[in-house]
Amino acid sequence: MELNLAEEILLAYGFSSETVVLNQIGSGHINRTFLLTTKNGEKYILQNINTHVFNDPNAIANNINAVAKYLKTKSPNYLFPAPVATEGGELMFHFEEQYWRLLPFVPNTIAFDTLSEPKQAYEAAKQFGKLTHLLNGYNTENLKPTIIGFHDLSWRYEQFTLALNEAKDDLKNSASNEIETALHHHFIVDYYNSYERSNNFPDRVIHHDTKISNVLLAEHSFDGICVIDLDTLMPGKFISDLGDMMRTYLCAFSENETDLSKIKIRLDYFRATIEGYLSEMSAILTETEKDLILFSGKYIVYMQALRFLTDYLNGSIYYPIAYPTQNLDRAKNQFKLLSELFENEKVLQGIIEECL
Ligand code: GN1
Ligand code: MG
């Protein structure tokens, strides 16, 4: 889709509608993303930050900037796609209540929405592991949460019970099986709580959105080049990143698939994900963390099921939908994936032991 944006936004970065062409790209639920191409063929990514979701865009900009500075001195060859400053030297452009940023375009790379070979899982997992590894010496207290409680499973469960109390009867009735499944798996919250404050479960710099479309791979070889979408780069636990990879790399079909018989775990992709992540992280993970590798998948898949179900009960106000029951279908999909993790537990744990 080609389109026009306010001239002011382009001018802030030294462009004008005469000199650039914009095309909307990307598949995320949250931000709007455009490919900006100049008359002489230079490319950039222009993004509008969704301030309903990210109500403190300065926290995002400051986190990315602080990490970029650290990496520039500690790992000068590492490709970290931090925003390009405006002509006035600002990290973002604030215009009519909206925040915009310009990002470098990395040539000869490709971002996938689905994986077609295990190598992609290995390379993506390695890239996310590398980011946390390179930032191992960085003081996480310098970074602010960009969404408070984002991956706090207790809080997500609380939000679910609040939604349940407030929901209209017809929504509740249509979701009765999933509500029961959500309640039945509360033990995952208890397990999470029992570790959350443990000494050997450190806060690290975590990406928090490790789906395959957030990593750039080399066009032909699929070698990992860099991670993108740094909005949720903030302190967190490693289970967030590894868990979201399990959620999104193991099944051949996405969270939007409604034929649940297709929701199956691909063991070769599981092994590749673990191997890729551990190739960077095994040297720094604590023994406690290593014990939680398989749990990371259960934790994130369950949390995402809760989030879709909560949103459905709230009347689908967070995740955009293409039809009324889509968030309920997404919750069903994620609960099926969760049951696959439990059913394959022994085999998966065996693969983890082999990789460690
Ligand atoms: C949202 O917009 P996108 O696809 O990058 C969400 C993630 C969810 C994901 C589920 C800020 O990410 O946490 O896992 O949808 N991001 C936010 O598809 O809520
Ligand atoms: Mg995202």
Side-chain angles (χ1 to χ4, degrees), residues 27-148:
S27 57
H29 289 305
I30 309 295
N31 295 321
R32 278 190 304 149
T33 307
F34 307 89
L35 176 66
L36 181 154
T37 311
T38 67
K39 280 259 155 69
N40 47 26
E42 282 170 37
K43 289 179 169 26
Y44 294 88
I45 303 295
L46 180 67
Q47 237 181 7
N48 173 234
I49 302 174
N50 179 334
T51 46
H52 295 290
V53 171
F54 295 104
N55 53 31
D56 185 5
N58 283 305
I60 301 177
N62 292 338
N63 285 357
I64 297 175
N65 194 37
V67 165
K69 274 193 183 145
Y70 177 87
L71 289 170
K72 208 168 179 180
T73 33
K74 286 276 176 178
S75 317
N77 296 324
Y78 177 70
L79 180 55
F80 183 71
V84 179
T86 63
E87 295 230 296
E90 303 287 328
L91 299 170
M92 291 180 292
F93 182 59
H94 191 188
F95 175 68
E96 290 185 341
E97 311 290 304
Q98 304 269 329
Y99 286 85
W100 294 85
R101 67 183 162 203
L102 190 72
L103 299 157
F105 176 84
V106 186
N108 307 319
T109 62
I110 182 161
F112 292 98
D113 278 324
T114 51
L115 299 93
S116 54
E117 45 182 275
K119 178 174 181 184
Q120 296 162 338
Y122 179 91
E123 292 292 326
K126 186 178 178 65
Q127 284 302 313
F128 289 113
K130 185 174 183 179
L131 177 67
T132 299
H133 183 180
L134 291 178
L135 292 164
N136 194 35
Y138 186 77
N139 183 0
T140 56
E141 284 170 20
N142 295 338
L143 303 180
K144 267 205 192 169
T146 62
I147 298 179
I148 299 194

Side-chain angles (χ1 to χ4, degrees), residues 26-277:
S27 57
H29 289 305
I30 309 295
N31 295 321
R32 278 190 304 149
T33 307
F34 307 89
L35 176 66
L36 181 154
T37 311
T38 67
K39 280 259 155 69
N40 47 26
E42 282 170 37
K43 289 179 169 26
Y44 294 88
I45 303 295
L46 180 67
Q47 237 181 7
N48 173 234
I49 302 174
N50 179 334
T51 46
H52 295 290
V53 171
F54 295 104
N55 53 31
D56 185 5
N58 283 305
I60 301 177
N62 292 338
N63 285 357
I64 297 175
N65 194 37
V67 165
K69 274 193 183 145
Y70 177 87
L71 289 170
K72 208 168 179 180
T73 33
K74 286 276 176 178
S75 317
N77 296 324
Y78 177 70
L79 180 55
F80 183 71
V84 179
T86 63
E87 295 230 296
E90 303 287 328
L91 299 170
M92 291 180 292
F93 182 59
H94 191 188
F95 175 68
E96 290 185 341
E97 311 290 304
Q98 304 269 329
Y99 286 85
W100 294 85
R101 67 183 162 203
L102 190 72
L103 299 157
F105 176 84
V106 186
N108 307 319
T109 62
I110 182 161
F112 292 98
D113 278 324
T114 51
L115 299 93
S116 54
E117 45 182 275
K119 178 174 181 184
Q120 296 162 338
Y122 179 91
E123 292 292 326
K126 186 178 178 65
Q127 284 302 313
F128 289 113
K130 185 174 183 179
L131 177 67
T132 299
H133 183 180
L134 291 178
L135 292 164
N136 194 35
Y138 186 77
N139 183 0
T140 56
E141 284 170 20
N142 295 338
L143 303 180
K144 267 205 192 169
T146 62
I147 298 179
I148 299 194
F150 188 48
H151 277 193
D152 178 345
L153 186 58
S154 288
W155 183 75
R156 292 289 180 191
Y157 192 85
E158 228 174 272
Q159 296 303 300
F160 160 65
T161 50
L162 283 177
L164 192 54
N165 288 335
E166 302 285 321
K168 297 197 186 102
D169 282 342
D170 58 328
L171 289 180
K172 260 196 306 207
N173 292 337
S174 58
S176 60
N177 286 337
E178 289 63 46
I179 292 169
E180 203 179 303
T181 310
L183 296 169
H184 173 76
H185 284 86
H186 183 266
F187 64 90
I188 299 178
V189 185
D190 294 333
Y191 197 75
Y192 167 80
N193 285 337
S194 72
Y195 277 99
E196 208 223 324
R197 285 175 216 290
S198 145
N199 285 339
N200 299 316
F201 194 33
D203 273 349
R204 300 183 176 282
V205 182
I206 296 297
H207 182 283
H208 286 104
D209 193 6
T210 58
K211 60 186 182 186
I212 198 68
S213 55
N214 281 341
V215 53
L216 300 182
L217 304 179
E219 235 160 26
H220 301 294
S221 65
F222 298 163
D223 288 343
I225 302 296
C226 67
V227 305
I228 57 171
D229 188 359
L230 302 166
D231 294 330
T232 48
L233 186 72
M234 57 176 152
K237 307 292 184 187
F238 91 99
I239 53 173
S240 283
D241 278 2
L242 187 56
D244 210 37
M245 292 182 227
M246 292 189 199
R247 186 179 84 78
T248 54
Y249 301 175
L250 305 191
C251 178
F253 299 89
S254 80
E255 65 198 21
N256 292 316
E257 179 56 55
T258 55
D259 178 353
L260 297 187
S261 69
K262 292 183 178 164
I263 307 306
K264 295 233 176 310
I265 286 172
R266 299 176 291 184
L267 294 179
D268 47 348
Y269 284 75
F270 180 81
R271 183 184 291 275
T273 303
I274 302 296
E275 279 178 353
Y277 194 66

